[in-house]
Amino acid sequence: MARVVDPTSPCARSSTGQSIGLRGRRSPADRYWAKVDKTGSCWLWTGSLNSSGYGLFGAKATRPVKLALAHRYGWELCRGPIPDGMLVLHSCDTPACVRPDHLSLGTNRDNMRDARDKGRLGPRAVNLAGPLDAEVERRQRLAALALQQAGTTP
């Protein structure tokens, strides 16, 4: 069951109470939430998108700018670090969605199974969710379980 976002958390607030960082700049969190349209069921990223429709966010003021996928940045902002080897999956299947309760952690295998089960893969993609190194999958699942038990995930 998806976790409902607490309306008092930074994940639910708009950027009206902007934090001002060094040199009068808005904080990365305020810049992030200013690019989110929360009017629909999905909270859509209104900033730049990549060719697959996923949001892009320049979290750090570096040159050259290093872009993060917006849904992954939002996950870390609201729920904490993403364990190595884990993906942030969309339950809504909308790449531009950054709504925290539409996102979950999973492995590449989980993502491929979900795509297959929802008919988003072609007929020749029958075995994409095939064998994975058992030790890698075990470590990924243990890391996700530890986060879940710590209350970091739904």
Side-chain angles (χ1 to χ4, degrees):
M1 178 175 214
R3 183 175 91 178
V4 177
V5 176
D6 175 359
T8 62
S9 81
C11 300
R13 280 187 240 137
S14 68
S15 60
T16 54
Q18 295 178 352
S19 306
I20 303 298
L22 297 174
R23 293 179 255 163
R25 294 186 181 145
R26 289 187 302 165
S27 72
D30 284 330
R31 288 188 303 103
Y32 177 85
W33 291 115
K35 295 179 184 293
V36 178
D37 175 3
K38 297 181 182 178
T39 59
S41 168
C42 287
W43 292 357
L44 298 178
W45 182 254
T46 62
S48 299
L49 302 175
N50 69 13
S51 61
S52 299
Y54 292 93
L56 297 171
F57 179 64
K60 296 181 181 176
T62 59
R63 296 285 182 238
V65 174
K66 292 184 181 177
L67 299 176
L69 289 171
H71 66 290
R72 289 179 64 87
Y73 184 83
W75 176 277
E76 290 187 336
L77 186 64
C78 294
R79 299 200 177 157
I82 301 166
D84 288 343
M86 297 299 283
L87 305 176
V88 177
L89 312 178
H90 290 86
S91 63
C92 58
D93 297 328
T94 304
C97 180
V98 296
R99 185 173 177 153
D101 58 348
H102 287 196
L103 305 174
S104 63
L105 290 178
T107 63
N108 187 56
R109 176 183 272 184
D110 296 331
N111 197 32
M112 290 293 100
R113 283 184 183 148
D114 181 58
R116 182 193 61 205
D117 293 348
K118 292 178 178 177
R120 289 184 284 126
L121 297 177
R124 296 180 352 150
V126 176
N127 201 23
L128 280 178
L132 178 70
D133 176 38
E135 179 59 22
V136 171
E137 185 172 14
R138 185 185 72 76
R139 282 183 290 182
Q140 290 171 343
R141 292 213 180 272
L142 285 173
L145 181 62
L147 283 175
Q148 187 174 19
Q149 289 174 342
T152 315
T153 61

